[in-house]
Amino acid sequence: ILLNCTGSDHQEYIKQQVQVKNPYLDTMEEDILYHFSLSTKTHNLPEMFGDIKFVCVGGSANRMKSFAQFIHQELKLPGNPEEVRDICEGTDRYCMYKVGPVLSISHGMGVPSISIMLHELIKLLHHAQCRDVVLFRLGTSGGVGLAPGTVVITDKAVDYSFRPQFEQVVLGKVITRSTELDEGVAGELLQCSSELQNFPTVIGKTMCTHDFYEGQGRLDGALCSFSHEEKLEYLRKAYEAGVRNIEMESTVFAAMCRVCGLKAAVICVALLNRFEGDQITSPHDVLVEYQQRPQVLVSHFIKKRLGLA
Ligand code: R2B
Ligand code: URA
């Protein structure tokens, strides 16, 4: 087909592919995706993953398994949702489930954990020749001035000083990458939320930190080097800068997807309002229901895209 493409069609075709930004990859005879326990030599990646259109990632292995089972039901696919198989069963670093065109993967907690997963995921999508893929991070977060249970669609992922950038140390030097997310997908998700009943949703900035306790201004860690007033002052500044929630992966997720030409969105539920406290005190069943909200929203999005809703 490529031979018949005109120049601009060809460019469009290339643009829709998942791009890796590493010239060395082409020179490798085999690529071992170590933390997935998959490899280009032992697995036929185009056959296993070539039809993937939606990739959903989230911190917890159990939650991403439940999501796979949920989306199996929602898409009314044949077979028993209970029998979804972990593709990464050769390792317990991450889990991965494929349900029709949807891939559900866990990424653990924090920037280093999700960034290792994303290197291997983006290579996997590239090796599998996937096209037109949208990535979603479905997560939990601390709300900044929001009622618990509110879903936040991220318009920009920002760092500790509310800048839309991700800093990474490479060869001993800091390099900075932009963390802009796809505006169209965020808008489509907001539209989806308005079509669901009792679904409090906002769009806003998401602050990404490298710690859950002091790094997020909590007074309840094993260490605390600031006062209650200083905490509130920081949260107030964050709110004024447009930050509506705080979590631990969004900046690197946004930055890596952007560089590789992948459309991406971050959807996190707020488990608490950080102006009101630090401890997560809601009962277990309430927290479970909150964590299903990003899944319900993304499922609605996927069904609409597939013409099923
Ligand atoms: C949200 O929740 C986790 C910490 O509890 C972390 O992975 C995040 O981003
Ligand atoms: N996840 C976070 O990173 N922070 C919170 O406050 C809640 C969940």
Side-chain angles (χ1 to χ4, degrees), residues 59 63 107-110 137 139-142 212 216 246-250 268 271 280:
R63 180 154 40 83
H107 59 61
M109 285 190 285
R137 165 165 145 70
T140 59
S141 62
F212 182 83
Q216 296 188 5
I246 310 174
E247 48 76 92
M248 299 182 61
E249 294 86 12
S250 58
C268 293
L271 300 181
I280 295 165

Side-chain angles (χ1 to χ4, degrees), residues 79-113:
N80 185 352
E82 294 302 311
E83 284 166 15
V84 293
R85 201 192 106 236
D86 182 2
I87 297 168
C88 299
E89 63 195 354
T91 168
D92 59 4
R93 296 298 185 183
Y94 305 108
C95 71
M96 181 188 287
Y97 301 92
K98 183 178 180 300
V99 178
V102 182
L103 199 60
S104 176
I105 314 171
S106 68
H107 59 61
M109 285 190 285
V111 163
S113 182

Side-chain angles (χ1 to χ4, degrees), residues 60-292:
S60 131
N62 280 328
R63 180 154 40 83
M64 295 324 285
K65 183 177 185 184
S66 320
F67 176 70
Q69 294 171 334
F70 172 64
I71 201 79
H72 191 288
Q73 287 172 346
E74 291 282 289
L75 301 184
K76 299 196 167 64
L77 293 173
N80 185 352
E82 294 302 311
E83 284 166 15
V84 293
R85 201 192 106 236
D86 182 2
I87 297 168
C88 299
E89 63 195 354
T91 168
D92 59 4
R93 296 298 185 183
Y94 305 108
C95 71
M96 181 188 287
Y97 301 92
K98 183 178 180 300
V99 178
V102 182
L103 199 60
S104 176
I105 314 171
S106 68
H107 59 61
M109 285 190 285
V111 163
S113 182
I114 195 176
S115 100
I116 296 167
M117 192 284 283
L118 287 171
H119 277 284
E120 295 181 16
L121 170 64
I122 294 168
K123 291 197 295 172
L124 182 153
L125 297 172
H126 172 76
H127 293 314
Q129 290 155 24
C130 295
R131 301 175 68 234
D132 254 333
V133 181
V134 189
L135 261 84
F136 305 88
R137 165 165 145 70
L138 292 73
T140 59
S141 62
V144 181
L146 298 178
T150 307
V151 172
V152 181
I153 300 166
T154 305
D155 64 356
K156 278 194 182 96
V158 300
D159 69 5
Y160 57 89
S161 48
F162 324 132
R163 294 171 299 189
Q165 62 179 47
F166 173 67
E167 287 177 349
Q168 166 112 317
V169 179
V170 177
L171 305 182
K173 293 197 189 87
V174 176
I175 63 164
T176 302
R177 291 189 171 123
S178 162
T179 54
E180 232 130 305
L181 288 156
D182 192 83
E183 259 182 63
V185 175
E188 230 175 296
L189 284 163
L190 193 64
Q191 171 60 32
C192 286
S193 73
S194 71
E195 294 161 10
L196 298 167
Q197 302 289 313
N198 300 325
F199 211 88
T201 308
V202 299
I203 194 153
K205 291 183 186 159
T206 295
M207 178 163 73
C208 178
T209 69
H210 293 310
D211 176 42
F212 182 83
Y213 288 99
E214 281 190 298
Q216 296 188 5
R218 277 186 156 80
L219 301 164
D220 63 341
L223 319 176
C224 185
S225 54
F226 48 85
S227 69
H228 192 194
E229 289 67 40
E230 287 170 317
K231 163 197 162 177
L232 290 179
E233 169 73 8
Y234 184 56
L235 291 182
R236 218 171 289 123
K237 279 198 185 135
Y239 188 88
E240 278 163 20
V243 171
R244 292 295 174 270
N245 64 342
I246 310 174
E247 48 76 92
M248 299 182 61
E249 294 86 12
S250 58
T251 50
V252 73
F253 174 78
M256 288 181 73
C257 289
R258 196 182 139 88
V259 172
C260 296
L262 282 159
K263 291 195 172 173
V266 177
I267 308 100
C268 293
V269 69
L271 300 181
L272 76 170
N273 178 0
R274 288 298 315 289
F275 283 113
E276 270 153 27
D278 296 330
Q279 298 244 307
I280 295 165
T281 52
S282 298
H284 178 75
D285 55 328
V286 172
L287 292 175
V288 169
E289 192 274 320
Y290 286 170
Q291 290 178 45
Q292 283 163 356

